[in-house]
Amino acid sequence: MTPAELSRTVRHAVCRAVEDGALRVAVPETVRVERPRPGGSGHWASNIALRLAREAGRSAAEVAGILGRHLEQAPGIARVEVTGPGFLNFTLADGSQQTLVRSVLAQGPAYGLPPAAEPSAHDAEPRAHDGELRERVWGETLARMGARPAPGERLGVVPAPDQELAVRLGTDEARWALLAAAAHDRPRIEGLLVQHERNPLFRVRYAHARAHALTRGARALGFTAEPAAPVDAPALTAAVADHPAAVADAARLRAPDRLARHLEAVADALLSFQHTVLPVGDEKPSAAHRSRLALAEAAGAVLAGGLSLFGISAPLHL
């Protein structure tokens, strides 16, 4: 079960609770799920009960208990617990990782992107003479993420970059510098032209290229990706699963730098995991190798989709 599927499942539970009279509330359009906070448990959590408690005229714990009873038998959910003042915590059933990977592979780089955001190879090069360079690049990127600015809205607090930035760095590097820094910070350009692990853009693009190299290596050994068995890679699995929420949060908070940090986390997890994917020595390809390759390919799709939102190319070879 993906985070989006879990979100829809929780919303359906609210609908059922309203229909059977257990709750008297307006059904929210969306339900947010996130990683459990300190004191929580399981794979995912939601504060929906706290959101609905006042309108329902009940405590958040009571609302959580009602929703929990509607969710206990939902496919894909192994356990529902209520923690703290009324947080719902979900432990997913076995096989959830394989379901996630299949979903990502089916959608490719479009996984986690809003419907209107089609992966693009490149945007036009930022113009060095544009006096509002960073504001324009942020606006284009946030629009692709699904953010809808109010009429006449401006970013306001974003410090202007060096106007020779695009000329000095090149298009991809300039866009990363403009988008990866928080709104109150100036773009960091040091090291962006160096192919080294200290360069975050290089690390993200290199991890994407490595995912494709693993696919080519597997093909040469006679096997392809298939998420048939669980893979012991919690950091990479969590990073892939978090991608839709990372995109949505970056759009909602109008903070593309949050997506940049997420892409770095995906890249780091994939680069640490890559050495386990292909058979070594006389080892024969197995279901475990096919499943590891599937997870690596899913991570590569996440990186490609995230870079496309930034208008940055994702080379297959680097």
Side-chain angles (χ1 to χ4, degrees):
M1 177 178 287
T2 66
E5 291 169 339
L6 178 59
S7 173
R8 290 193 294 270
T9 298
V10 178
R11 184 178 183 276
H12 291 160
V14 177
C15 290
R16 293 195 300 273
V18 170
E19 289 169 358
D20 64 20
L23 289 177
R24 292 192 174 186
V25 296
V27 178
E29 292 187 7
T30 61
V31 172
R32 176 176 169 78
V33 296
E34 60 186 358
R35 292 295 175 186
R37 300 180 184 185
S41 62
H43 298 106
W44 296 96
S46 175
N47 68 348
I48 184 62
L50 284 80
R51 289 175 52 194
L52 298 178
R54 176 176 293 184
E55 184 181 356
R58 296 171 177 263
S59 70
E62 288 179 300
V63 175
I66 292 169
L67 296 179
R69 290 190 288 276
H70 283 80
L71 287 161
E72 286 174 345
Q73 304 303 318
I77 297 179
R79 187 168 64 256
V80 181
E81 296 178 85
V82 179
T83 61
F87 288 100
L88 281 165
N89 292 254
F90 308 99
T91 299
L92 303 185
D94 291 342
S96 59
Q97 183 193 64
Q98 295 97 298
T99 300
L100 167 68
V101 172
R102 288 192 183 96
S103 177
V104 178
L105 295 181
Q107 297 176 62
Y111 166 72
L113 273 59
E118 304 229 348
S120 60
H122 231 274
D123 274 6
E125 179 175 344
R127 298 190 303 276
H129 62 273
D130 191 335
E132 298 178 340
L133 176 62
R134 191 178 186 191
E135 184 172 7
R136 180 167 60 82
V137 171
W138 270 47
E140 294 169 354
T141 302
L142 288 169
R144 274 195 298 274
M145 290 179 180
R148 294 291 180 265
E153 179 183 5
R154 296 175 66 86
L155 295 176
V157 300
V158 179
D162 185 329
Q163 295 306 301
E164 297 181 356
L165 187 66
V167 173
R168 293 164 57 190
L169 295 181
T171 303
D172 286 338
E173 291 76 10
R175 294 189 72 86
W176 181 271
L178 294 169
L179 294 164
H184 56 275
D185 292 334
R186 289 190 174 275
R188 299 177 182 177
I189 64 175
E190 297 80 8
L192 281 179
L193 294 178
V194 179
Q195 293 194 351
H196 192 278
E197 62 182 10
R198 291 193 298 271
N199 176 353
L201 176 57
F202 170 77
R203 208 160 64 245
V204 169
R205 298 171 87 194
Y206 177 65
H208 172 264
R210 285 301 303 154
H212 285 270
L214 292 171
T215 299
R216 294 192 297 270
R219 190 179 301 123
L221 294 172
F223 73 98
T224 57
E226 171 55 39
V231 176
D232 184 16
L236 184 56
T237 302
V240 170
D242 287 348
H243 184 57
V247 173
D249 285 349
R252 178 174 57 86
L253 299 173
R254 307 190 66 74
D257 58 292
R258 295 176 68 96
L259 179 58
R261 302 290 82 76
H262 170 69
L263 295 179
E264 291 178 45
V266 175
D268 291 343
L270 176 55
L271 292 174
S272 296
F273 172 74
Q274 62 169 326
H275 307 292
T276 70
V277 174
L278 299 181
V280 178
D282 295 332
E283 190 178 10
K284 301 297 183 184
S286 66
H289 294 110
R290 291 192 292 273
S291 297
R292 292 171 196 153
L293 177 62
L295 179 57
E297 289 185 354
V302 164
L303 294 172
L307 288 171
S308 77
L309 287 176
F310 279 4
I312 295 175
S313 62
L316 303 184
H317 301 269
L318 196 61

